[in-house]
């Protein structure tokens, strides 16, 4: 009797095992969710702010908000970005000599010795990533009290790169801390990247206090191809 019952149970157990195997194999794998969106086709534009100090409107000390500076900077950007810049704005930014009075180039500088700064750019582009070459502001000079040459570096330099709205303010952002205890050596340039989760037309750079000045030497914009 027991043997007969066992013979009847074996086919049933085999059937259940096959059924369970089929159910497990029928469950689809869950795909990994990417950290960043899949954007499709993209292209880039590179904008170089650092250049000859004799450029009209971009000489040392030329200030954002003046007609000469705003026109010169707009023309500089549009000459490199195929006339896609539609507007710019901000406060307390300028072109300053790179390396002090002996320097041959000026570059876009965020902030001043007395104020924090902000500059924003609106493009006719759907921007998904920005890459900036940044550097502490510095102005070499001789410290007569210590009788030593110093770099005159802004040791607390910092800049925030972000997507931005002139009405709503900062959206996605990345803070770049350039602080250093070395006031003698010339500061090194750094390349910093920010990828956005949502595309944007407007990008910005700003800092939070006086003497946090930061050069923005160049900018690469990655955008969606329409």
């Amino acid at each position: 009797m027991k043997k007969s019952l066992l013979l009847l149970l074996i086919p049933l157990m085999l059937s259940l095992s096959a059924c369970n195997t089929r159910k497990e194999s029928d469950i689809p794998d869950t795909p990994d969710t990417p950290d960043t969106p899949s954007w499709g086709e993209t292209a880039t534009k590179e904008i170089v702010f650092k250049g000859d100090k004799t450029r009209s409107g971009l000489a040392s000390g030329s200030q954002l908000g003046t007609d000469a500076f705003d026109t010169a900077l707009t023309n500089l950007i549009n000459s490199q970005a195929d006339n896609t810049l539609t507007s710019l704005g901000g406060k307390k930014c300028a072109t300053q000599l790179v390396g002090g009075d002996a320097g041959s180039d000026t570059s876009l500088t965020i902030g001043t010795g007395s104020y924090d700064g902000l500059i924003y750019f609106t493009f006719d582009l759907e921007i998904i990533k920005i890459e900036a070459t940044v550097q502490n502001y510095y102005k070499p000079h001789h410290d007569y009290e210590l009788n030593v040459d110093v770099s005159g570096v802004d040791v607390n330099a910092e800049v925030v790169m972000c997507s931005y709205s002139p009405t709503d303010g900062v959206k996605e952002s990345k803070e770049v801390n350039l602080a250093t205890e070395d006031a003698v050596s010339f500061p090194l340039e750094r390349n910093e990247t920010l990828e956005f989760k949502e595309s944007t037309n407007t990008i910005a750079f700003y800092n939070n206090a006086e003497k946090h000045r930061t050069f923005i030497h160049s900018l690469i914009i990655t955008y969606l191809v329409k």
Side-chain angles (χ1 to χ4, degrees):
M1 186 70 175
K2 291 182 179 180
K3 184 175 181 182
S4 300
L5 180 59
L6 181 60
L7 291 174
L8 288 173
L9 289 174
I10 288 174
L12 178 60
M13 293 170 64
L14 292 174
S15 176
L16 288 173
S17 176
C19 182
N20 288 337
T21 301
R22 285 196 298 271
K23 286 181 179 179
E24 290 176 1
S25 63
D26 289 343
I27 298 174
D29 293 333
T30 303
D32 293 332
T33 302
D35 293 333
T36 56
S38 178
W39 293 109
E41 186 177 359
T42 63
T44 62
K45 296 186 185 299
E46 182 174 13
I47 300 160
V48 179
F49 298 109
K50 183 179 178 181
D52 195 294
K53 65 182 179 182
T54 63
R55 295 174 295 175
S56 177
L58 300 173
S60 178
S62 299
Q63 298 289 323
L64 177 67
T66 62
D67 288 342
F69 179 90
D70 291 358
T71 298
L73 187 59
T74 297
N75 291 339
L76 175 70
I77 294 170
N78 274 330
S79 69
Q80 300 175 81
D82 301 319
N83 295 311
T84 54
L85 179 73
T86 59
S87 65
L88 58 80
K91 64 174 186 176
K92 304 301 179 183
C93 294
T95 41
Q96 298 287 2
L97 280 167
V98 180
D101 296 337
S104 59
D105 292 332
T106 59
S107 193
L108 178 63
T109 311
I110 312 302
T112 72
S114 302
Y115 299 96
D116 56 295
L118 161 73
I119 193 166
Y120 65 84
F121 307 105
T122 300
F123 291 88
D124 184 21
L125 299 170
E126 291 295 321
I127 301 167
I128 62 170
K129 182 172 75 170
I130 55 176
E131 303 167 72
T133 301
V134 301
Q135 185 182 28
N136 305 56
Y137 172 84
Y138 67 106
K139 186 177 182 179
H141 63 276
H142 186 78
D143 187 322
Y144 288 94
E145 183 177 344
L146 299 175
N147 193 29
V148 63
D149 291 329
V150 296
S151 65
V153 63
D154 274 18
V155 294
N156 295 312
E158 46 89 19
V159 66
V160 178
M161 46 202 296
C162 61
S163 57
Y164 184 79
S165 165
T167 55
D168 299 327
V170 176
K171 297 180 179 180
E172 299 179 60
S173 65
K174 175 182 179 179
E175 183 173 354
V176 179
N177 184 358
L178 298 170
T180 177
E181 296 181 358
D182 185 355
V184 177
S185 304
F186 294 157
L188 299 177
E189 296 181 6
R190 278 173 44 180
N191 296 315
E192 298 289 339
T193 299
L194 172 60
E195 296 189 40
F196 301 119
K197 295 178 181 178
E198 295 183 7
S199 62
T200 181
N201 301 113
T202 304
I203 57 173
F205 299 89
Y206 71 92
N207 48 28
N208 295 295
E210 73 278 4
K211 296 183 180 179
H212 286 204
R213 289 168 290 189
T214 302
F215 290 124
I216 309 293
H217 291 318
S218 64
L219 172 66
I220 298 176
I221 295 169
T222 301
Y223 61 96
L224 299 176
V225 175
K226 298 179 180 178

